Amino acid sequence: MSEILFLEPVFKDVIWGGNALRTRFDYAIPSETTGECWAVSGHKNGDCKIRGGQYDGWTLGQLWQEHRELFGGQAGDQFPLLVKIIDARDDLSIQVHPDDVYAGAHENGSLGKTECWYILDCEPGATIIVGHNASSSEELKKMIEEDRWKELLRERPIHKGDFFQIEPGTVHAIKGGTLILETQQSSDVTYRLYDYGRLQNGKPRQLHLSQSMDVIVCPAKEAATERSVEETESYRLEKLVECKYYAVEHLVLHGSMKRPKQPLYEILDVLDGKGTINGTEIQKGDHFLLLHGYGEYELCGELELMLSRP
Ligand code: ZN
């Protein structure tokens, strides 16, 4: 299979969204509060359409169901990864995700959610929340009941290029003024712990306190941020994370480079610039898969890319 599988993003209107997906990536977003671009997804809540080629008009989820050989025969009843670009004009709710075991038992066999964030851009002074300061579940419960959010939550400053791996059970929130590329397990299960008392259509959004208490890890672990860099005259490749579910790398290229064949398949997201992959033109805002057996390839141009694989 030597085809490149280009995908059409799916957009989500949310109360905390903005318009950076248009101003920055030129996407035709549906509203001025578009918070999420599901760039690579086979999830039922936003299954990306394939653009061009032999499977034009199919969805990624369909292709996964009917042509598993194109994904190297990987097991599982759904395409396992989901890549999003998130434009948080306003703060996202304080939330936590379950692991596979809890989600499987309590959420209709859904996958859990391990996710990671690469900060594409942020306003000066922007922060995020990762982790909490309670030493035990009892203390966590007490602090929540007493509304001691400032004391409870670990808020830290962020900068462009920062990276965070968010394990299930980690309390977290993306805060306003932040543009993020998120790579995650294909899951839409979020337990909302606190929403700053905000209203949507006149009502507060639903909270999930008991599920949150079930899954929050106490005490919190430090978020892993180890990364390694490979640098030459023409490129800078940063290995951001390798975990049970995915490996993610960030690449800045000026010129050309060869890339190795992957054992299963690979996802590429063009964050900036333009160039070619084995002669096919690619540009900012493109998201595509190199299917099983694609082989070695050559990237050329002035490009910033995110590369991920199972
Ligand atoms: Zn999350």
Side-chain angles (χ1 to χ4, degrees):
M1 183 78 195
S2 60
E3 208 172 308
I4 299 170
L5 205 69
F6 285 95
L7 297 171
E8 293 286 352
V10 174
F11 298 99
K12 301 278 177 179
D13 178 71
V14 285
I15 55 171
W16 45 263
N19 62 16
L21 291 166
R22 182 179 62 235
T23 57
R24 168 107 180 202
F25 288 99
D26 226 10
Y27 293 131
I29 55 173
S31 72
E32 295 303 303
T33 50
T34 300
E36 299 192 354
C37 160
W38 289 27
V40 178
S41 161
H43 195 281
K44 62 178 178 359
N45 296 352
D47 195 353
C48 293
K49 263 203 177 129
I50 295 160
R51 183 183 82 210
Q54 189 183 349
Y55 298 103
D56 187 37
W58 286 48
T59 65
L60 181 57
Q62 237 178 323
L63 196 66
W64 173 264
Q65 292 308 336
E66 296 181 30
H67 287 286
R68 195 65 60 87
E69 74 282 3
L70 301 176
F71 303 88
Q74 191 183 14
D77 59 7
Q78 48 186 312
F79 182 74
L81 298 179
L82 176 48
V83 178
K84 291 180 186 176
I85 302 174
I86 295 179
D87 169 22
R89 182 187 40 81
D90 202 354
D91 300 343
L92 274 74
S93 60
I94 310 294
Q95 53 186 256
V96 61
H97 307 296
D99 61 15
D100 290 340
V101 174
Y102 190 91
H106 299 270
E107 302 290 345
N108 275 322
S110 170
L111 294 177
K113 189 155 146 186
T114 299
E115 65 187 30
C116 64
W117 303 334
Y118 183 86
I119 312 294
L120 295 173
D121 214 346
C122 59
E123 285 170 9
T127 62
I128 53 153
I129 287 166
V130 180
H132 65 79
N133 294 315
S135 55
S136 64
S137 327
E138 292 70 42
E139 193 180 8
L140 176 70
K141 192 156 180 260
K142 190 159 183 286
M143 289 174 93
I144 292 172
E145 280 167 2
E146 293 171 358
D147 256 331
R148 288 153 63 193
W149 297 102
K150 241 196 143 45
E151 201 185 327
L152 175 65
L153 301 171
R154 287 188 188 160
E155 187 166 1
R156 60 172 88 188
I158 50 167
H159 305 95
K160 187 175 165 162
D162 284 351
F163 178 78
F164 299 90
Q165 169 83 342
I166 310 291
E167 302 287 346
T170 305
V171 174
H172 63 277
I174 296 170
K175 305 277 281 174
T178 308
L179 189 67
I180 278 182
L181 186 126
E182 179 178 83
T183 306
Q184 55 162 96
Q185 283 181 275
S186 184
S187 164
D188 210 11
V189 183
T190 293
Y191 299 138
R192 200 175 285 135
L193 191 60
Y194 178 58
D195 202 24
Y196 318 95
R198 288 187 295 201
L199 302 178
Q200 183 172 38
N201 305 322
K203 284 189 223 111
R205 295 195 291 175
Q206 200 194 348
L207 298 179
H208 316 89
L209 282 171
S210 76
Q211 295 97 321
S212 296
M213 292 303 300
D214 281 349
V215 305
I216 293 173
V217 174
C218 289
K221 285 187 276 182
E222 267 303 308
T225 49
E226 232 175 84
R227 48 211 262 183
S228 68
V229 184
E230 184 184 314
E231 203 158 6
T232 70
E233 264 179 20
S234 56
Y235 69 86
R236 183 173 197 275
L237 180 68
E238 231 182 331
K239 295 180 199 305
L240 298 169
V241 69
E242 244 176 73
C243 71
K244 191 172 154 194
Y245 302 104
Y246 48 71
V248 181
E249 296 170 311
H250 177 258
L251 172 69
V252 176
L253 177 69
H254 307 281
S256 71
M257 77 182 290
K258 288 253 194 263
R259 292 274 307 163
K261 179 180 170 163
Q262 296 299 337
L264 291 175
Y265 51 90
E266 190 172 22
I267 297 168
L268 283 82
D269 309 283
V270 186
L271 302 174
D272 210 353
K274 58 179 162 189
T276 57
I277 174 165
N278 282 353
T280 300
E281 284 187 16
I282 51 175
Q283 60 171 343
K284 178 168 82 175
D286 283 343
H287 303 272
F288 53 92
L289 272 117
L290 306 178
L291 295 168
H292 185 62
Y294 186 80
E296 278 185 5
Y297 60 94
E298 188 180 38
L299 289 169
C300 290
E302 297 289 311
L303 288 164
E304 181 185 356
L305 293 155
M306 206 60 101
L307 308 145
S308 49
R309 56 183 190 274

